[in-house]
Amino acid sequence: MDLKNNLYQLWNRMASGSYFPAATRYVEIDKSDGGKRILGIPTVKDRIAQGVAKAYIEPRLEEVFHEDSYGYRPNRSAHDAIEKARKRCWKYDWVIDLDIKAFFDTIDHELLLKAVSMHVSEPWIILYIKRWLKAPMQNKDGQLIDREQGLPQGGLCEASHNPPYVK
């Protein structure tokens, strides 16, 4: 693997506006209720590109999240949310747990871009977020599936871990 030249090529394409993400790999995961969760697994190159954008905008976006929001946040986990609920159960008689069914599958791209644009002013980031949203998914037979809505789970931009680091 020619890491140095691959990174240079990615940087060059992102800097010039000529970077386009590859199709994400379509993978179905069984859910406990018998349904399927669809994951969209990006290429390594696309994960690195997403990591660049995420590292750039995450500190600004973190400022607008509520302190009790735990989903897909850096340095926060479901265990942290449970611990907070455990402490609060001695103070309050109720807990609110929200999970929007099929949220990632149905999110409106234009509405998401409008929300992101409220906090992100760099045109190159908006451009690449649009391209990541519109990138097709590829199933195991090689068939490309276009997307008009939804955000495939599995990409770095919605993941709860920190961006990858290259040594």
Side-chain angles (χ1 to χ4, degrees):
M1 178 188 270
D2 189 2
L3 184 61
K4 183 178 177 183
N5 285 326
N6 286 338
L7 286 174
Y8 174 76
Q9 181 187 53
L10 177 60
W11 169 81
N12 193 1
R13 288 188 177 161
M14 288 187 79
S16 68
S18 64
Y19 160 75
F20 284 87
T24 57
R25 185 172 166 207
Y26 178 98
V27 178
E28 289 184 341
I29 304 295
D30 293 329
K31 292 171 57 175
S32 60
D33 66 2
K36 301 275 186 192
R37 177 180 319 277
I38 296 172
L39 299 181
I41 310 301
T43 66
V44 172
K45 190 178 286 188
D46 292 336
R47 286 184 68 85
I48 292 169
Q50 290 176 9
V52 169
K54 182 180 180 201
Y56 221 87
I57 64 176
E58 189 171 60
R60 278 180 275 167
L61 296 178
E62 276 299 304
E63 292 176 5
V64 298
F65 277 99
H66 191 277
E67 68 177 272
D68 289 337
S69 173
Y70 288 88
Y72 304 98
R73 303 276 302 283
N75 305 314
R76 291 174 181 244
S77 68
H79 295 289
D80 295 328
I82 291 167
E83 182 60 29
K84 180 72 79 165
R86 183 177 291 127
K87 288 178 181 175
R88 288 189 177 159
C89 75
W90 297 103
K91 265 175 93 171
Y92 303 103
D93 294 332
W94 48 270
V95 172
I96 299 174
D97 178 21
L98 299 174
D99 185 16
I100 302 171
K101 184 177 180 177
F103 175 77
F104 285 104
D105 300 333
T106 60
I107 193 165
D108 181 280
H109 290 175
E110 294 306 316
L111 193 57
L112 176 62
L113 287 166
K114 185 176 179 180
V116 169
S117 295
M118 296 293 294
H119 304 284
V120 176
S121 59
E122 295 86 355
W124 67 272
I125 293 178
I126 301 297
L127 172 71
Y128 292 133
I129 290 174
K130 285 179 186 177
R131 289 181 184 174
W132 288 317
L133 288 172
K134 298 293 182 188
M137 295 180 76
Q138 187 172 24
N139 67 17
K140 64 182 177 183
D141 298 328
Q143 177 186 7
L144 294 179
I145 303 163
D146 288 331
R147 294 189 331 219
E148 297 301 320
Q149 68 175 16
L151 175 67
Q153 295 182 70
L156 187 61
C157 288
E158 57 74 30
S160 60
H161 50 76
N162 292 321
Y165 296 96
V166 178
K167 292 183 179 179

